[in-house]
Amino acid sequence: MASPSFDNPSLTLGLSLVAGILAQLLARHLSVPGIVVLLSAGVLLGPEALGWVRPASLGPALQTVVGFAVSVILFEGAMSLDVRKLRREARSIQRLVTLGAGVTAVGGTLAARALMGWDWMVSALFGTLVMVTGPTVITPLLRRVRVTHRVATVLEAEGIFVDAVGAIIAVVALDMALHAEEGPWLLVSALGSRWGVGLAVGGVTGLLITLGLRKSSWVPEDMTNVFALALVLGAFQVSNALAPESGVLAAIAAGLVVGNGKVPARREVLAFKEQLTLMLLGMLFILLAADMRLSQVTALGWRGLVTVLVLMLVVRPVAVAVSTTGSGLSRNEKAFIAWLGPRGIVAAAVASLFATRLGAQGVEEGQALRALVFLVIGVTVVVQGCPAESWRGCWACAAWCRRATSSWAPTRSRGRWRKRSRRAGRPCCSWTPATRP
């Protein structure tokens, strides 16, 4: 019997799905962020190591698979947002998504220019790529570490909304870099058309899903999940066809409408999307990590690592400080938000798109740009995510969590403190997995 050929797109997708789920199971048992294990597994299974997962075999279909998966992930994230809570923290969220994102883009550009020595075009592209945070990383962390509702709302909303803003701005910036002769008018027209189309298509899709799920005579109960899924995937591609890369915003807009539309089957749809998101997220990180060469990351050297640290320890705190001035958030809440800014799947997906398009134009830094973005993802998730999930019993982390959640007086018995805190109605600042109320 002949040995299987790994240059097989079907086999690549199948192995990626299996590896993604197994990696997340392992991460759950080890109590570490899933992305850490997923990135490691992707590199191990990729062409540089075992060679079992070969994303190149998918060809142009890789970006199609990534797009479909990202649309489901962002739709599920937006469904979880409560508009009433968003209104209470509207000032902080709006400024983080606009002013904070701008500060991050400028800071990332300057850091890449000064430390990596890239030209202004590539440095600016890197700045737009790191504007986004990672809702796929932040949301699981917030479910495991109990924080105040204000902090949770701000972080979750920032992660979802800045993905839409950042992804569109990044792609428009790439178009401007590759077609500089069209001038600044391209920026205005491209941003306006993408945001307009995305909001319109997403809003209409969300209304159709909401109406369909409200009337059982239209959509039978056993078809609610597939009905919502089909419309979201269709809306994503229709929006992209009308205005490239606007599908991200369409998926988010549809999720917001459905999530706040008083849909009877909301819980069932959300539970289905959460399971689907878990599967697709694992597959995506396996594919994207396998498509990257580890030698490209190590070639960045100390300059790459220092660039990431500047983003974490300088740019992020400045962006949060500027954005939350006068917001009513306490100093400790601002400090926690400033610390937690990991990047996730949208940054990885757009960086892979950049590497492909820049490489086609003969720009040598395209692969290094993607490698640096993956380094940002890996370092921010490990440094910012692992303390929140794994350093159980560490008093330094407990003190940090205490300042960002509630004031408490620890006793010698952790069990007695837990019982007393629950009786007092305060969040329990333990490091055990728990679902935030």
Side-chain angles (χ1 to χ4, degrees), residues 203-395:
V204 172
T205 302
L207 288 175
L208 289 175
I209 295 174
T210 302
L211 290 174
L213 298 184
R214 281 180 178 176
K215 296 183 179 296
S216 58
S217 59
W218 290 8
V219 180
E221 185 177 351
D222 60 340
M223 294 183 64
T224 55
N225 290 329
V226 292
F227 171 74
L229 176 63
L231 263 63
V232 170
L233 295 177
F236 179 82
Q237 293 299 341
V238 168
S239 185
N240 277 343
L242 296 175
E245 306 307 324
S246 63
V248 172
L249 187 56
I252 293 174
L256 271 176
V257 173
V258 176
N260 295 274
K262 297 180 180 179
V263 175
R266 178 183 178 277
R267 289 187 177 181
E268 289 77 7
V269 173
L270 188 57
F272 173 71
K273 294 295 186 294
E274 286 179 348
Q275 294 292 318
L276 199 58
T277 293
L278 194 68
M279 181 184 71
L280 294 175
L281 185 67
M283 179 193 70
L284 281 189
F285 269 112
I286 294 292
L287 285 174
L288 295 177
D291 196 39
M292 186 191 63
R293 301 295 176 262
L294 192 60
S295 58
Q296 296 170 353
V297 178
T298 57
L300 298 174
W302 65 269
R303 296 180 182 274
L305 185 59
V306 174
T307 302
V308 178
L309 293 178
V310 168
L311 284 174
M312 292 172 51
L313 304 178
V314 178
V315 177
R316 174 67 177 177
V318 170
V320 172
V322 171
S323 303
T324 56
T325 301
S327 63
L329 291 168
S330 69
R331 181 179 61 183
N332 295 321
E333 288 173 331
K334 293 177 184 178
F336 188 82
I337 294 172
W339 169 249
L340 196 61
R343 273 65 177 183
I345 189 61
V346 172
V350 179
S352 297
L353 173 65
F354 274 32
T356 302
R357 293 187 59 182
L358 290 173
Q361 295 294 324
V363 180
E364 297 179 355
E365 294 87 353
Q367 299 297 328
L369 178 65
R370 177 175 63 173
L372 185 55
V373 171
F374 271 82
L375 183 62
V376 171
I377 295 171
V379 173
T380 54
V381 170
V382 170
V383 175
Q384 297 172 340
C386 284
E389 291 203 49
S390 299
W391 297 352
R392 300 177 182 179
C394 174
W395 280 99

Side-chain angles (χ1 to χ4, degrees), residues 4-265:
S5 172
F6 290 104
D7 288 318
N8 182 331
S10 300
L11 183 59
T12 292
L13 285 177
L15 291 177
S16 299
L17 285 169
V18 174
I21 290 297
L22 294 179
Q24 291 181 87
L25 284 173
L26 178 61
R28 190 72 61 88
H29 287 296
L30 296 176
S31 295
V32 298
I35 291 181
V36 176
V37 183
L38 286 169
L39 291 177
S40 303
V43 173
L44 177 64
L45 296 173
E48 280 201 336
L50 296 176
W52 294 354
V53 175
R54 301 184 182 182
S57 65
L58 296 174
L62 176 61
Q63 291 302 323
T64 302
V65 171
V66 170
F68 274 129
V70 167
S71 66
V72 175
I73 292 169
L74 293 180
F75 176 79
E76 183 269 330
M79 269 193 72
S80 304
L81 297 177
D82 189 335
V83 171
R84 294 169 298 180
K85 295 180 180 178
L86 297 181
R87 287 172 180 167
R88 288 196 292 268
E89 305 300 332
R91 178 183 176 87
S92 299
I93 296 169
Q94 289 172 358
R95 297 183 70 178
L96 278 170
V97 174
T98 54
L99 184 58
V103 171
T104 303
V106 173
T109 300
L110 296 177
R113 172 67 177 173
L115 294 168
M116 301 303 300
W118 293 339
D119 60 37
W120 283 110
M121 180 194 78
V122 178
S123 299
L125 292 177
F126 172 74
T128 59
L129 281 171
V130 295
M131 286 171 59
V132 299
T133 56
T136 53
V137 185
I138 291 174
T139 301
L141 285 177
L142 295 178
R143 287 174 179 171
R144 294 175 68 87
V145 180
R146 294 187 176 188
V147 297
T148 60
H149 290 295
R150 300 186 68 187
V151 172
T153 300
V154 170
L155 285 172
E156 288 177 345
E158 180 200 11
I160 293 293
F161 295 142
V162 84
D163 270 2
V165 173
I168 291 176
I169 290 178
V171 172
V172 171
L174 178 62
D175 289 340
M176 289 187 63
L178 299 180
H179 306 92
E181 68 279 358
E182 297 190 27
W185 172 246
L186 175 64
L187 175 64
V188 178
S189 61
L191 288 179
S193 63
R194 284 165 168 81
W195 284 334
V197 169
L199 288 173
V201 173
V204 172
T205 302
L207 288 175
L208 289 175
I209 295 174
T210 302
L211 290 174
L213 298 184
R214 281 180 178 176
K215 296 183 179 296
S216 58
S217 59
W218 290 8
V219 180
E221 185 177 351
D222 60 340
M223 294 183 64
T224 55
N225 290 329
V226 292
F227 171 74
L229 176 63
L231 263 63
V232 170
L233 295 177
F236 179 82
Q237 293 299 341
V238 168
S239 185
N240 277 343
L242 296 175
E245 306 307 324
S246 63
V248 172
L249 187 56
I252 293 174
L256 271 176
V257 173
V258 176
N260 295 274
K262 297 180 180 179
V263 175

